[in-house]
Amino acid sequence: MAVHHLQTTLVMIVIYLILTRQTTATTEEFRVSVPENVAVGQAIITLPRTQLGDKAELPCAKIMDGDPHFRFNVTKDCIILVANPLDWSVESAYLLNIHRGLYNTSVEVQLTDVVGYPPVYNDTCETPTNPKGGLLLSLKSSAEVLTTNQDVLYIRHLWYDDFFHPPTYDHWKANTNNSDCTFHLATYLSWADDIITFKDIYDNGLRQTTCSAGSDNHDLSAELFFTGGDEESRLQKLRKFLPNFIVDDVRDNIIVLFLKCIFPAKDAKLYSCNFPTFLHPPVRAFNSDARIQIASFEYVDVEVRPIGCPVGRYGFLCNKNCICKNGARCHGFNGACRCAPGWKGVACDIPKPDVSITTTPSDPRQIYTSRNVAFHCRALNIDAKVMSLRFPNGSEKLVSGENYMTVLVANMQPENSGHYICMVLDKDGLTLNATLDVLCPPNRKGVDCDEACDCLQGASCDRWAGCVCPPGWNGTRCQTKCPRGTYGKDCTKRCSCQNGASCSPSGGRCNCTDGWYGNDCGKPCPSGLFGWRCQQRCACKYNATCNSVDGSCTCVTPWTGRYCDQLQTSRARDEPLLESLIPLGSLVLLVAIVTAILFKTGVLACSVPETGEEEKILFELRRMEQDLAQTLQPGWLGRWEKKARHLTPGPLIGEGMFGKVRRAQLRTTGGRLDVAAKAVRVEDAQSYRDFYREAAILVAVHQVQEQDGNDRKSNIVRLVGLITKSAEKYILLEYAPKGDLLGFLRGIKNNNQEYLLENLLGYAVHIARALQELERLRIAHRDVAARNVLITADDVAKLADFGLARDVYATAQYVRANRPGLDELLPLKWMALESIETGEYTCQSDVWSFGVLLWEIATLGQDPCYDGRTQLTFLQMVGILRQGIRMNRPPGCPEDLYRLMRACWRDVPATRPTPEGIEKRLLQLRLALLIPEAIQIMETAL
Ligand code: AMP
């Protein structure tokens, strides 16, 4: 557009120069026509050489007159430039007089009106000011889906939020148009999972989706373009539907997502979208784990929330500079300026005759709290003959010959509220005025502001309307909840939730009671699931029926117990603890195995002096997974046992309340070996339990690795041996000279973050492999965190601490659980939502903690924090996570890495990426950091 105007301008300039140049002895006259939106800095005319026969060219000096507001500049070479923005409605023509040696040159500049210029300030979609910067609005979508495996999943997708910095979102193209308050957003998809998902959605015929907020019109629509084919047909297709500015940016990409939305005024708006209920073929979910396929969408909601740009910026990405001057407000959509009193023009930089009225204090809410209020009346850019300030009670204060007056109202009272009018009569008889409305004091209403509002639910008090209730509330003081079945402002909307579900007060989204799901909560949980939105998995065994509300099991004979996994025998009643720990069959097996082990290894025969020890081991083994206990082959303890006299303990390298780690040397047949010796220091039940659990898990892991022949490649810290027969008991581990990852991260001083990150992600890859090993063994680590990762001499990260180091649980990173019947210290900020809520630990909950470990890496070992808080109680943490709040993207962290973290922190464990998927993704990310083009190549290949 601008280029087009420029060309037109130049052609016109030439024509005018030919047609209108008239030369006299001392005066030259020129005319030029320019569009009003000509850019600042643009040349509008180059004056030709003087025709007076001078040998030397006369330089131009300055514009003598005809330009009172400095719209133009002239260079020595006689080029006239635009110096400040032009505005046809303010001044449509200028007659410039230019001094040139002894001669005068006059140039008539005629402005032409340009449609759509200057941009208009539209109050309806005025955006808030947000000093943090970022984006004009945030977009979040959430959906409830049924998978082909009959799982109910709740998917949340953050498209756009204020904490993403615009440069990382270059591939989002946006256009805002405030004449109808719409914004258009287009992006091409670059994340492989998104491409797969959207392709599937596209194949389901969902090219065009509309979304509506209650009874409102469909003011949010999304379109998908699958732009395969040759360049020309692809372009044609895009051009047909998309604005040109977008087509040029997204033309080379396969899938383009285009959103069009009417900007919500002030508050967030929730839209429900018309996705198809049944999908053929199923949609592969937004997840590295392609096993999850969506069979039906129960609902899809999109929330659009206004955020706003910092002062001086506008546009969807807040990346355009406002031109507004002299205290003008700049519209977030199009940069239109709303001028302060006394200014006009597209940039509010041309003075105009005006009057202003202000108060001190300036905030109207403080007027009544400050005892004395000053009213200031100003005449701007005019010479006032008389100035008056009229009070709400009709009285007036006058001054003459002054351009400024201040009136002090002492002891401001409610009856002082109303209109204050400042009026100015100037010397030419022109009158101008400005009005200021002083509202009632807070919480007051009525003609005389003498009635109290006392609104509830945070409602605002309007002088005339009284309490303005938020959606979902009614009554003079907003004391009444909307009647059941209704919602929205003034409870005018009807909701259709079933089975005792309530509906959200603003959007009407159904909040199902336990045991139900679906758009209107009309569907009972699929078999095997129970609880709120069927998010929990039944644990009932042996054909028992599971209650879809609370997951309780109704057993079939002869089974009994909470999960119907125990046989009904008298033993069960006698030994409830053991029975609840493991099924009877495995108990017998386990006792047999352990007894055999103990005899075979001579432990029993050697008679351990502390007679309680075998029992401690037995007890600990029973607490473990049945599968794991079975992997412990007879003789395990003896095969790993080392002699205490072969160990030479060295300096302490890690210490806590219950355990301590020493660097030590172990005498072996092959020579002396550096080891880390972990010892129990305090002989209490907890320390022993941890000691034996860690020993048994490490033995099990190593046995399986030995069988598979890949023990050397493992990313789990290597077990060297155990010393259990001496008074001081040790777990002997390979010595990792670089210590733990947390200390390593915190010790990094290098500023080259990208180089660093690419190296550090190597450690993350190692731990993702460790998680794969644990997944194969069906062991949950429960405490994946940077402090529990060790770095070996050859720079390999290994997962360590399988339970001994409860000592660190006493530090701030571990919070005491206050679940009934539970008294343990938990690494709360690393724990998955379900682990906090129900104490359930799985490989998927380890994936959550791995996401936190990634965050620790990206922040070089900072303390995890939510909303700027590092110390959180059990309940606060649950509340935060349940609201969908997650840790922010660390500064400098690549967007894709943050997306991976967020994927690890999904509510529903099954939707989190698998350790294998994580490893793949991390390798891609590392590659992309090393060779930025690599990611492009990989995605094109997809
Ligand atoms: P842990 O009890 O496993 O958490 O260990 C406590 C601290 O001792 C760790 O943070 C490490 O600094 C150190 N440590 C533990 N195991 C080793 C090892 N195998 N090699 C070197 N340092 C270790």
Side-chain angles (χ1 to χ4, degrees):
M1 286 290 250
V3 174
H4 179 73
H5 281 304
L6 185 62
Q7 283 169 350
T8 323
T9 313
L10 291 175
V11 171
M12 287 165 109
I13 292 167
V14 173
I15 295 170
Y16 271 103
L17 288 178
I18 295 166
L19 293 180
T20 64
R21 193 171 150 206
Q22 299 154 21
T23 313
T24 64
T26 55
T27 310
E28 285 185 310
E29 288 174 12
F30 299 92
R31 283 166 74 191
V32 64
S33 175
V34 290
E36 60 174 335
N37 63 348
V38 60
V40 170
Q42 174 77 50
I44 56 164
I45 183 170
T46 304
L47 299 176
R49 287 165 168 261
T50 48
Q51 296 292 302
L52 301 172
D54 306 72
K55 287 260 157 50
E57 183 59 36
L58 292 175
C60 284
K62 59 176 182 175
I63 296 171
M64 298 297 288
D65 58 53
D67 183 25
H69 305 306
F70 314 105
R71 301 293 99 182
F72 304 97
N73 252 347
V74 63
T75 66
K76 268 200 209 141
D77 310 330
C78 298
I79 301 169
I80 299 181
L81 306 164
V82 176
N84 281 299
L86 302 173
D87 188 336
W88 177 84
S89 63
V90 171
E91 198 79 75
S92 62
Y94 295 82
L95 190 61
L96 308 176
N97 207 342
I98 293 147
H99 194 70
R100 204 181 193 194
L102 291 173
Y103 310 101
N104 274 345
T105 301
S106 96
V107 179
E108 189 186 335
V109 183
Q110 184 69 50
L111 298 192
T112 53
D113 191 9
V114 173
V115 180
Y117 185 88
V120 178
Y121 198 102
N122 186 340
D123 291 318
T124 317
C125 40
E126 188 179 65
T127 55
T129 305
N130 171 28
K132 276 200 296 177
L135 304 163
L136 210 52
L137 54 86
S138 83
L139 276 175
K140 284 177 200 173
S141 59
S142 54
E144 189 179 64
V145 303
L146 187 69
T147 68
T148 45
N149 296 334
Q150 296 288 295
D151 271 333
V152 180
L153 303 183
Y154 180 56
I155 301 176
R156 245 185 287 222
H157 212 73
L158 192 72
W159 288 101
Y160 224 97
D161 213 340
D162 59 342
F163 53 75
F164 287 119
H165 299 295
T168 62
Y169 263 67
D170 293 354
H171 57 291
W172 284 79
K173 294 296 156 195
N175 182 33
T176 43
N177 176 0
N178 81 356
S179 65
D180 58 359
C181 289
T182 53
F183 67 83
H184 301 105
L185 254 187
T187 183
Y188 55 88
L189 304 179
S190 56
W191 183 258
D193 300 332
D194 287 348
I195 295 181
I196 293 171
T197 305
F198 279 98
K199 170 85 172 59
D200 288 350
I201 291 177
Y202 185 88
D203 289 345
N204 269 284
L206 206 78
R207 282 137 214 215
Q208 228 263 321
T209 307
T210 50
C211 308
S212 67
S215 58
D216 294 352
N217 290 338
H218 292 170
D219 44 12
L220 172 70
S221 66
E223 271 179 79
L224 278 181
F225 295 91
F226 186 64
T227 55
D230 63 79
E231 164 106 17
E232 213 25 60
S233 65
R234 179 186 298 181
L235 269 181
Q236 257 182 18
K237 198 168 180 181
L238 287 177
R239 287 241 154 80
K240 205 162 152 198
F241 300 102
L242 300 182
N244 264 340
F245 82 100
I246 282 173
V247 174
D248 291 334
D249 278 306
V250 296
R251 54 193 290 172
D252 296 329
N253 295 284
I254 323 167
I255 288 206
V256 176
L257 173 71
F258 179 63
L259 290 172
K260 184 177 171 197
C261 185
I262 296 182
F263 196 74
K266 294 190 190 76
D267 299 322
K269 223 171 196 181
L270 190 73
Y271 297 94
S272 295
C273 306
N274 60 345
F275 263 54
T277 312
F278 294 105
L279 305 165
H280 304 287
V283 166
R284 284 159 287 178
F286 301 92
N287 195 295
S288 326
D289 185 350
R291 285 171 300 182
I292 296 173
Q293 301 203 339
I294 301 170
S296 66
F297 279 105
E298 298 305 325
Y299 68 78
V300 178
D301 288 345
V302 178
E303 187 204 75
V304 184
R305 180 182 294 278
I307 293 177
C309 298
V311 174
R313 294 294 183 105
Y314 76 99
F316 194 77
L317 300 170
C318 299
N319 56 354
K320 297 183 189 164
N321 290 322
C322 295
I323 56 164
C324 314
K325 302 252 165 65
N326 302 306
R329 191 178 154 86
C330 170
H331 200 291
F333 263 52
N334 58 356
C337 307
R338 189 163 62 193
C339 300
W343 298 97
K344 65 179 177 179
V346 59
C348 303
D349 58 349
I350 300 175
K352 75 163 190 190
D354 213 347
V355 174
S356 80
I357 176 167
T358 53
T359 55
T360 314
S362 57
D363 185 343
R365 285 164 304 185
Q366 288 174 6
I367 285 184
Y368 289 98
T369 47
S370 142
R371 288 212 317 274
N372 303 325
V373 178
F375 288 84
H376 313 281
C377 201
R378 278 187 186 83
L380 304 157
N381 309 312
I382 41 170
D383 279 334
K385 197 168 153 199
V386 183
M387 177 181 270
S388 73
L389 177 64
R390 186 179 298 164
F391 297 88
N393 64 5
S395 64
E396 236 175 341
K397 172 121 189 178
L398 293 176
V399 286
S400 54
E402 300 284 343
N403 276 354
Y404 176 66
M405 133 166 92
T406 291
V407 179
L408 199 72
V409 177
N411 196 13
M412 195 72 181
Q413 293 298 317
E415 56 267 28
N416 298 125
S417 69
H419 298 313
Y420 286 75
I421 304 167
C422 174
M423 201 178 290
V424 169
L425 174 70
D426 89 341
K427 299 202 165 113
D428 303 326
L430 175 77
T431 37
L432 293 169
N433 60 43
T435 306
L436 181 89
D437 285 331
V438 174
L439 308 169
C440 288
N443 196 31
R444 292 281 164 164
K445 62 176 181 173
V447 184
D448 302 320
C449 303
D450 55 353
E451 294 169 56
C453 267
D454 293 335
C455 311
L456 301 171
Q457 323 305 336
S460 59
C461 171
D462 180 88
R463 182 176 182 180
W464 310 114
C467 296
V468 183
C469 302
W473 293 90
N474 224 343
T476 49
R477 294 175 53 224
C478 308
Q479 71 282 21
T480 320
K481 226 179 175 169
C482 284
R484 220 178 163 73
T486 63
Y487 72 97
K489 194 127 194 62
D490 303 323
C491 310
T492 48
K493 294 182 180 167
R494 299 205 66 77
C495 55
S496 56
C497 310
Q498 298 178 28
N499 298 306
S502 55
C503 73
S504 85
S506 50
R509 165 63 46 228
C510 299
N511 186 8
C512 303
T513 51
D514 289 356
W516 300 94
Y517 80 105
N519 188 28
D520 53 4
C521 305
K523 299 186 178 174
C525 289
S527 98
L529 301 176
F530 73 98
W532 184 76
R533 286 205 172 269
C534 314
Q535 294 297 294
Q536 283 167 283
R537 196 170 286 285
C538 292
C540 310
K541 301 265 158 59
Y542 303 110
N543 294 332
T545 336
C546 169
N547 183 307
S548 65
V549 175
D550 58 10
S552 57
C553 310
T554 311
C555 308
V556 291
T557 43
W559 298 100
T560 182
R562 188 164 164 208
Y563 301 119
C564 305
D565 54 354
Q566 294 160 25
L567 280 171
Q568 215 159 7
T569 63
S570 55
R571 221 178 119 82
R573 282 189 297 279
D574 294 344
E575 293 178 34
L577 175 66
L578 288 182
E579 286 303 293
S580 66
L581 285 170
I582 46 173
L584 183 71
S586 12
L587 178 74
V588 174
L589 187 69
L590 198 64
V591 171
I593 292 172
V594 171
T595 316
I597 297 165
L598 295 178
F599 270 111
K600 206 164 175 185
T601 56
V603 172
L604 280 186
C606 290
S607 86
V608 181
E610 324 73 279
T611 49
E613 189 164 330
E614 302 94 4
E615 265 164 43
K616 282 174 198 153
I617 300 176
L618 244 179
F619 182 78
E620 208 39 56
L621 289 174
R622 283 183 198 127
R623 284 166 54 90
M624 285 191 296
E625 291 286 324
Q626 181 187 328
D627 291 356
L628 178 66
Q630 282 176 356
T631 55
L632 292 174
Q633 310 217 326
W636 66 274
L637 199 55
R639 282 203 294 121
W640 288 95
E641 188 73 36
K642 305 283 174 214
K643 294 198 164 58
R645 64 190 151 83
H646 291 166
L647 188 78
T648 317
L652 211 57
I653 48 176
E655 191 181 14
M657 206 183 292
F658 303 110
K660 56 187 175 183
V661 183
R662 284 182 181 282
R663 185 174 174 179
Q665 285 211 316
L666 183 72
R667 195 145 46 90
T668 66
T669 44
R672 287 185 172 274
L673 187 70
D674 267 339
V675 292
K678 296 183 79 171
V680 173
R681 195 176 60 183
V682 181
E683 302 230 343
D684 68 357
Q686 181 66 60
S687 303
Y688 270 107
R689 200 174 303 147
D690 292 336
F691 180 89
Y692 287 119
R693 186 202 292 147
E694 179 156 30
I697 288 178
L698 285 171
V699 169
V701 169
H702 284 74
Q703 268 185 190
V704 174
Q705 281 167 352
E706 265 175 26
Q707 280 161 21
D708 299 352
N710 60 359
D711 55 324
R712 291 278 146 202
K713 283 186 269 154
S714 172
N715 287 102
I716 290 172
V717 70
R718 191 163 60 83
L719 179 69
V720 175
L722 299 170
I723 297 179
T724 64
K725 290 183 194 164
S726 64
E728 184 127 61
K729 299 172 199 331
Y730 291 104
I731 295 176
L732 306 176
L733 301 167
E734 67 177 304
Y735 174 63
K738 293 190 182 169
D740 61 88
L741 178 61
L742 185 63
F744 181 85
L745 290 171
R746 291 187 174 168
I748 290 173
K749 300 229 161 45
N750 193 336
N751 287 336
N752 185 350
Q753 222 187 347
E754 225 159 70
Y755 165 77
L756 254 179
L757 193 65
E758 159 245 307
N759 281 318
L760 294 176
L761 285 185
Y763 295 144
V765 169
H766 297 160
I767 301 307
R769 286 178 191 149
L771 292 190
Q772 289 172 58
E773 290 177 51
L774 292 182
E775 192 182 32
R776 275 197 292 279
L777 287 160
R778 305 216 287 148
I779 295 172
H781 183 279
R782 296 167 168 231
D783 200 2
V784 175
R787 61 181 168 275
N788 290 329
V789 170
L790 294 171
I791 307 194
T792 66
D794 27 332
D795 219 25
V796 176
K798 296 201 173 187
L799 192 57
D801 199 350
F802 286 75
L804 178 66
R806 285 286 155 131
D807 49 350
V808 282
Y809 282 28
T811 74
Q813 301 307 6
Y814 296 81
V815 175
R816 195 164 290 279
N818 60 358
R819 281 199 300 274
L822 203 85
D823 183 27
E824 57 178 329
L825 291 162
L826 298 170
L828 206 54
K829 288 183 290 175
W830 281 259
M831 280 167 68
L833 181 57
E834 72 277 5
S835 310
I836 303 176
E837 282 188 329
T838 62
E840 186 188 334
Y841 293 89
T842 56
C843 294
Q844 288 151 343
S845 61
D846 279 348
V847 164
W848 177 298
S849 314
F850 180 84
V852 183
L853 185 145
L854 283 180
W855 191 94
E856 292 182 276
I857 289 180
T859 57
L860 297 185
Q862 275 178 27
D863 248 10
C865 67
Y866 288 81
D867 278 348
R869 288 181 295 172
T870 50
Q871 297 290 321
L872 289 159
T873 66
F874 196 80
L875 285 177
Q876 283 168 337
M877 197 69 214
V878 172
I880 283 179
L881 297 179
R882 267 276 163 238
Q883 284 172 56
I885 298 171
R886 298 291 185 268
M887 283 196 285
N888 285 349
R889 187 170 73 133
C893 167
E895 184 206 327
D896 281 353
L897 180 60
Y898 184 61
R899 289 187 73 163
L900 182 60
M901 292 179 204
R902 300 279 305 208
C904 294
W905 302 330
R906 288 183 183 138
D907 283 2
V908 182
T911 62
R912 292 175 204 149
T914 58
E916 197 188 345
I918 292 176
E919 187 196 336
K920 273 194 203 135
R921 193 67 205 154
L922 284 171
L923 288 171
Q924 281 179 0
L925 283 169
R926 275 196 84 198
L927 197 61
L929 286 174
L930 280 164
I931 331 159
E933 302 79 20
I935 199 84
Q936 207 75 39
I937 295 162
M938 280 184 304
E939 272 155 10
T940 322
L942 202 125

